[in-house]
């Protein structure tokens, strides 16, 4: 049976047409009738649709009647398209034998395409290049083909020319999947070995785990063990998505499907972990398991204290479905009670914040994102700092996370990229021409430096042509200092930063200037200072408010004027009182707006 | 029942740059239909009014109406409402729109107060504002008003005009007091969204004086007018003793009133309502003998308290402490710091803003509301 199965993923850069192609495959194979198709079925969360990004991986079983007269089972394993989720991508790819590499014929190869394509190569996947959007007048299929060959080193002679939007090439893609991607190997008789590549929480059924079975068989009633967590569960149901959930009797070697086993929380399953039979375990788990940890942290505080409980409940609910997101209660002198939250990256952070505000109707204040610093105290004890204000005054050594950043850029824009990476404390590691007019550069950069405005500046310096990706390298010692911001002489913990010593002066000046613009005039003068240790390095002030009055107020105007005051009152509600100073929310993100 | 009546005349010679009131260019035939519509509205609403203490005919430019239409308007007023000869009856007028005979005609009808929009006595500033008259015309008009027997007249002045300086403002103030009005309104010019002025400032073609200059002008006005015996009784209003505008004081005391005419507002029994703002729509509605109501909304108890506070504290006399206490509003108790820091003060049995407090009264009101839980 396994010889009629094909397991594959689609890898593509954002907007290169992955979701549209997936829809087209579903439609063509009759998994969904045209009537049932809502645009982009696989991206089921609203946010995913709005941002055009796939956040959660899914797996759909398609049945395809091929030209050779046989009916094949095709398992399409969807992958997230963003660098923040690259570990999840790698686990999805590990569950496949092949991948469609979708490249937009008008855009060419981008950094993410490359990163994911390399991942696919590492996993020995059969890669089928698909050159998409060939219906567009600006499509350059030949040039795109050449770029794929140069950058990834795969033969593109047989690349499928397609337009997912227009339905061109759909059948050719399905035929290529059947002919080129090898069927899964593995034996039903061997001990069970299944890779968890995704999981989520369902209100009615508990945790649903997506697996790829490599060896053995899994069916209801079976006792299973998760090897990394060493926990044992009894399987209640196994099934597939077609694309609706459909229970089946068993999942055999080579198959992809879901398991429901009375697991209460997604934190009790780890993506990348191996499931085996509790009574007849496999000796070696699937390779590549990592316990992933959040890379980026920020504080979330309710703007009004009475929302604290609601925020905690909301964080708890989101965490049910997102094992890569963490939170811990924390207290800030300036902001009161809140939570320090950890994310895989900035996008992940933005998504969580947006969901908290939108789905749970919370008004939140977030502090500037920070990386995790490794600090060796004088006593030799090593601590991790996720909140700059907690950096001790004295320590032996401070280290920060470094990443290797891959940037893809047309050669005309390479100059500004060098300057940008230089400014961000980068060290060049590689420089390669891809084709005649594109360059791939690799830089080792502190993660902290690319957190803030790196991506936006990269885009604006290159008129949007550059793309980037990054991968964690490790911790390295740096000459870092804590930059404190004082308002009327009082340090505001939620505004402190850890910065490189060489940049402290510049950042302090920029930040105080920015805060002067952001902080509205109030009844009293507000003095804004930046300090490193006890040394003041910059000072600005906001003049006190002298005039704020409605000049004319007669009969007809009364309602309008009253509303004006009410609006002003609402505005005040969104401010955070820090001592005698009222700070708007933007103040806490001011640091993101400076270069 | 309301004892204060407002009548809106929405016609002007032209629109001033800063104007966000309801007005359209004057048209004799339309004005006649409009006055007839007003008479119709009076007939429909007369029963909801008590004996009138004030009548205020505002605009627009009411002085643009012909003698004949004024006669019709007053005949209708007398036919529908009760008011004594001691009632304060004000007509708004603009320089350049009135003759001596017209002013005498108004007097003969019972008008006893004229409020003239002089705005400035600097011709450059008048042009900037888009006014249709010169400073000389304003001076002549003021003379004419006084000669026609109107002892009680008021002048509207503005400060904070683009191009205005403390010197030109002092000259305007001097000129104004030399005309011996009983009352002066001195407003800070506020560019309202939707006006030409707002656009011109937004696009940088006009520049407002800076805040320090405006504060200096405010102080200069206060000082100059006080020295001539004018009492500062509301944020933007000054009067010689006994000449405060009763009609406007009623708004700040949150009293009831009836507003007639297109776009006019009324307030009664904790309901604020507004007439149709579309002039033709207003006329046609009354020609069908229907009430020209556009919207009407009840004011909840908390809104009512906010109104009472923000209106009452506009007066330099402030609000009686017992009135506040009766509504359970302990402002002195919850705002001790604002009293200590000299933004609020207690004068006799009243609570009021100080001059420093009035200048930032919005900020202070918002704080006061917050502390009162309003």
């Amino acid at each position: 049976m396994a010889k009629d199965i094909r397991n594959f993923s689609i890898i593509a850069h954002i907007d290169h047409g992955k979701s549209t192609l997936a829809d087209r495959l579903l439609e063509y194979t009759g998994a969904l009738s045209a009537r049932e198709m809502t645009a982009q079925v696989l991206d089921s969360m609203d946010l995913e649709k709005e941002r055009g990004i796939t956040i959660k991986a899914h797996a759909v079983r398609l049945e395809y009647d091929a030209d050779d007269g046989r009916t094949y089972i095709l398992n399409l394993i969807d992958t997230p398209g963003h660098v923040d989720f690259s570990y999840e991508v790698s686990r999805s790819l590990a569950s496949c034998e092949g991948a469609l590499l979708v490249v937009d014929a008008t855009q060419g190869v981008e950094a993410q395409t490359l990163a994911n394509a390399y991942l696919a190569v590492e996993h020995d996947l059969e890669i089928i290049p698909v050159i998409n959007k060939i219906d567009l007048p600006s499509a350059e299929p030949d040039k795109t083909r050449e770029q794929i060959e140069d950058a990834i080193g795969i033969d593109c002679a047989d690349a499928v020319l397609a337009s997912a939007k227009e339905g061109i090439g759909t059948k050719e893609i399905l035929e290529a999947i059947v002919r080129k991607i090898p069927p899964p190997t593995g034996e039903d008789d061997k001990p069970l070995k299944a890779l968890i590549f995704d999981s989520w929480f369902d209100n009615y059924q508990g945790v649903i785990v997506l697996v790829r079975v490599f060896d053995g068989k899994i069916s209801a009633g079976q006792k299973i063990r998760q090897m990394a967590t060493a926990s044992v569960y009894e399987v209640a149901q196994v099934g597939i998505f077609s694309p609706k959930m459909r229970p089946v009797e068993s999942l055999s070697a080579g198959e992809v499907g879901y398991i429901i086993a009375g697991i209460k929380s997604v934190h009790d399953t780890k993506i990348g972990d191996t499931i085996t039979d509790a009574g007849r375990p496999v000796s070696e788990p699937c390779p590549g398991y990592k316990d992933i940890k959040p890379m980026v942290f920020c504080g979330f505080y309710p703007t009004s204290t009475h929302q604290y409980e609601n925020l905690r409940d909301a964080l708890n609910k989101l965490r049910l479905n997102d094992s890569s997101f963490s939170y811990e209660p924390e207290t800030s002198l300036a902001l009161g009670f809140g939570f320090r939250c950890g994310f895989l990256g900035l996008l992940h952070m933005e998504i969580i914040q947006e969901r908290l505000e939108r789905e749970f109707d919370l008004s939140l204040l977030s502090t500037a994102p920070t990386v995790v610093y490794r600090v060796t105290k004088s006593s030799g004890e090593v601590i991790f700092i996720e909140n700059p204000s907690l950096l001790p005054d004295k320590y032996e050594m401070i280290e920060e996370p470094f990443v290797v950043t891959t940037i893809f850029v047309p050669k005309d824009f390479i100059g500004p990229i060098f300057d940008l990476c230089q400014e961000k404390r980068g060290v060049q590691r590689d420089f390669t021409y891809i084709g005649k007019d594109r360059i791939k550069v690799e830089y080792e950069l502190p993660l902290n430096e690319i957190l803030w405005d790196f991506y936006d500046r990269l885009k604006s310096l290159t008129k949007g042509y550059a793309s980037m990706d990054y991968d964690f390298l490790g911790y390295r010692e740096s000459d870092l200092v804590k930059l404190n911001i004082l308002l009327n002489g009082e340090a505001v913990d939620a505004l402190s930063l850890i910065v490189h010593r060489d940049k402290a002066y510049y950042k302090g000046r920029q930040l105080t200037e920015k805060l002067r613009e952001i902080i509205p005039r109030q009844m009293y003068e507000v003095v804004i200072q930046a300090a490193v240790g006890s040394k003041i390095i910059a000072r600005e002030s906001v003049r006190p408010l002298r005039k704020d009055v409605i000049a004319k107020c007669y009969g007809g105007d009364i309602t309008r004027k009253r509303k004006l005051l009410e609006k002003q009152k609402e505005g005040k509600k969104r401010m955070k009182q820090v001592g005698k100073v009222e700070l708007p929310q933007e103040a806490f993100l001011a640091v993101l707006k400076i270069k | 029942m309301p004892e204060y009546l407002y009548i809106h005349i929405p016609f002007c010679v032209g629109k001033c740059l800063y104007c966000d009131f309801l007005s359209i260019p004057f048209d004799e035939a339309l004005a006649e239909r409009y006055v007839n519509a007003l008479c119709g509205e009076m007939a429909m609403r007369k029963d909801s009014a008590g004996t009138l203490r004030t009548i205020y005919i505002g605009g627009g430019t009411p002085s643009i109406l012909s003698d004949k239409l004024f006669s019709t308007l007053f005949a209708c007023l007398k036919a529908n409402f009760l008011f004594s000869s001691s009632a304060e009856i004000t007509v708004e007028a603009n320089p350049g729109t009135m003759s001596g005979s017209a002013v005498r005609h108004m007097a003969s009808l019972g008008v006893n107060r004229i409020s003239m929009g002089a705005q400035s006595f600097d011709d450059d500033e008048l042009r900037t504002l888009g006014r249709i008259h010169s400073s000389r015309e304003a001076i002549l008009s003021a003379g004419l008003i006084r000669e026609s027997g109107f002892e009680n007249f008021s002048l509207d002045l503005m400060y904070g005009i683009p191009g205005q300086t403390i010197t030109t403002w002092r000259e305007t103030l001097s000129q104004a007091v030399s005309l011996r009005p009983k009352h002066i309104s001195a407003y800070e010019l506020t560019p309202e969204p939707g006006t030409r002025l707002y656009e011109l400032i937004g696009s940088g073609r006009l520049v407002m004086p800076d805040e320090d200059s405006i504060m200096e002008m405010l102080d200069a006005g206060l000082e100059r007018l006080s020295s001539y015996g004018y009492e500062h009784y509301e944020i933007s209003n000054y009067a010689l003793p006994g000449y405060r505008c009763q009609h406007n004081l009623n708004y700040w005391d949150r009293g009831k009133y009836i507003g007639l005419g297109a776009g006019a507002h009324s307030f009664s029994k904790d309901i604020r309502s507004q007439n149709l703002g579309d002039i033709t729509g207003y006329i046609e509605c009354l020609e069908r003998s229907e009430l020209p109501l556009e919207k009407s909304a009840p004011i909840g108890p908390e809104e009512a308290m906010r109104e009472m506070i923000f209106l009452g504290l506009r007066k330099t006399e402030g609000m009686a402490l017992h009135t506040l206490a009766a509504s359970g509003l302990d402002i002195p108790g919850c705002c001790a710091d604002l009293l200590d820091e000299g933004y609020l003060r207690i004068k006799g049995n009243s609570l009021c803003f100080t001059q420093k407090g009035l200048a930032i009264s919005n900020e202070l009101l918002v704080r006061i509301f917050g502390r009162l839980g309003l």
Side-chain angles (χ1 to χ4, degrees), chain A residues 521 523-524 543 545-556 558-562 565-566 568-569 572 580 582, chain B residues 20 187-188 211-212 215 236 248 251-252 257 265 272 303 306-307 314 341 343 358-363 366-367 374:
Chain A
R521 295 172 63 185
M523 281 167 63
Y524 316 94
R543 297 172 64 202
L545 184 69
R546 292 184 65 197
K547 188 171 71 67
D548 181 17
V549 59
I550 294 164
K552 218 167 189 173
C553 186
Y554 293 137
I558 286 171
T559 312
R560 239 173 76 193
K561 303 296 186 196
R562 192 195 69 223
L565 286 175
E566 282 161 10
Q568 203 161 333
K569 200 180 91 187
K572 223 182 207 5
K580 269 194 159 185
E582 286 168 338
Chain B
D20 74 330
Y187 299 104
E188 182 194 334
E211 188 183 63
D212 287 345
M215 293 304 289
S236 306
N248 287 344
Y251 293 134
W252 304 318
Y257 52 89
H265 293 250
R272 291 201 181 270
E303 286 173 313
R306 286 199 292 267
E307 283 189 2
R314 293 186 68 83
E341 290 166 24
Y343 294 104
L358 275 182
I360 57 163
S361 56
N362 289 357
E363 166 73 22
V366 167
R367 274 172 193 250
L374 288 177

Side-chain angles (χ1 to χ4, degrees), chain B residues 82-125:
Chain B
L82 286 174
F83 51 94
S84 71
S85 58
S86 65
E88 177 191 278
I89 303 177
T90 308
V91 171
E92 280 183 351
N94 275 325
T97 61
M98 50 194 167
S99 63
S101 70
V103 176
R104 284 191 294 277
H105 181 68
M106 282 184 213
S108 75
L109 294 172
V111 176
N112 52 29
R113 187 171 181 271
I114 284 186
S115 172
M116 186 171 83
Q119 317 309 2
S120 165
F121 289 99
D122 180 292
D123 286 339
D124 289 336
E125 290 166 17

Side-chain angles (χ1 to χ4, degrees), chain B residues 196-262:
Chain B
R196 277 282 291 146
L197 179 70
Y198 190 85
E199 281 170 33
L200 290 168
I201 287 165
S203 67
R205 280 153 69 200
L206 283 179
V207 180
M208 298 294 281
D210 61 37
E211 188 183 63
D212 287 345
S213 311
I214 291 177
M215 293 304 289
E216 203 182 351
M217 290 182 204
L218 168 70
D219 290 343
L222 192 65
E223 186 196 355
R224 180 66 56 97
L225 296 177
S226 303
S227 73
Y228 280 86
Y230 294 91
E231 295 165 342
H232 184 213
Y233 74 99
E234 191 261 358
I235 290 177
S236 306
N237 284 282
Y238 298 81
L240 294 178
Y243 287 95
R244 296 183 182 189
C245 178
Q246 299 305 308
H247 186 82
N248 287 344
L249 277 169
N250 179 58
Y251 293 134
W252 304 318
D253 288 334
R254 201 166 176 271
K256 298 168 186 170
Y257 52 89
I258 292 176
L260 303 176

Side-chain angles (χ1 to χ4, degrees), chain A residues 92-258:
Chain A
S92 293
L93 294 179
S95 306
C96 301
E97 279 78 30
L100 302 179
L101 172 66
V102 179
V103 180
D104 183 332
T106 68
Q107 305 284 324
V109 174
E110 304 274 6
Q112 267 168 32
T113 330
L114 197 67
N116 288 346
Y118 284 158
L119 268 180
V121 170
E122 269 173 42
H123 286 98
D124 278 335
L125 301 194
E126 178 65 36
I127 295 174
I128 301 172
V130 174
I131 297 175
N132 195 23
K133 304 197 187 180
I134 54 150
D135 58 310
L136 295 181
S138 54
E140 294 181 290
D142 291 339
K143 201 169 153 193
T144 309
R145 196 178 273 147
E146 197 180 308
Q147 276 183 11
I148 300 174
E149 286 182 346
D150 278 358
I152 308 161
I154 54 171
D155 182 10
C156 278
D158 293 339
V160 183
L161 298 183
S163 163
K165 194 163 145 266
E166 299 298 328
I168 301 168
T170 312
K171 183 174 157 45
E172 287 74 7
I173 292 169
L174 287 162
E175 282 297 320
I177 291 170
V178 167
R179 277 188 284 108
K180 292 193 176 166
I181 297 177
T185 54
E187 291 164 35
D188 290 359
D189 305 335
K190 282 192 176 174
L192 173 65
K193 183 179 179 185
L195 173 69
I196 300 176
F197 62 87
D198 197 8
S199 72
W200 67 88
F201 182 78
D202 180 277
N203 278 333
Y204 301 103
Q205 326 213 50
V207 173
I208 295 172
V209 183
L210 285 186
V211 294
R212 155 69 198 270
V213 181
F214 283 95
D215 280 317
K217 238 177 157 163
I218 186 163
S219 50
Q222 195 172 352
K223 284 240 168 28
I224 51 166
R225 178 195 303 275
Q226 303 188 81
M227 296 180 76
T229 53
S231 54
V232 175
Y233 292 92
E234 187 180 317
V235 176
Q237 191 188 100
V238 296
I240 56 155
F241 288 90
S242 66
K244 287 172 200 136
M245 250 175 130
R246 201 178 85 205
V248 295
E249 205 148 290
S250 65
L251 295 173
S252 315
E255 291 196 295
V256 170
Y258 69 84

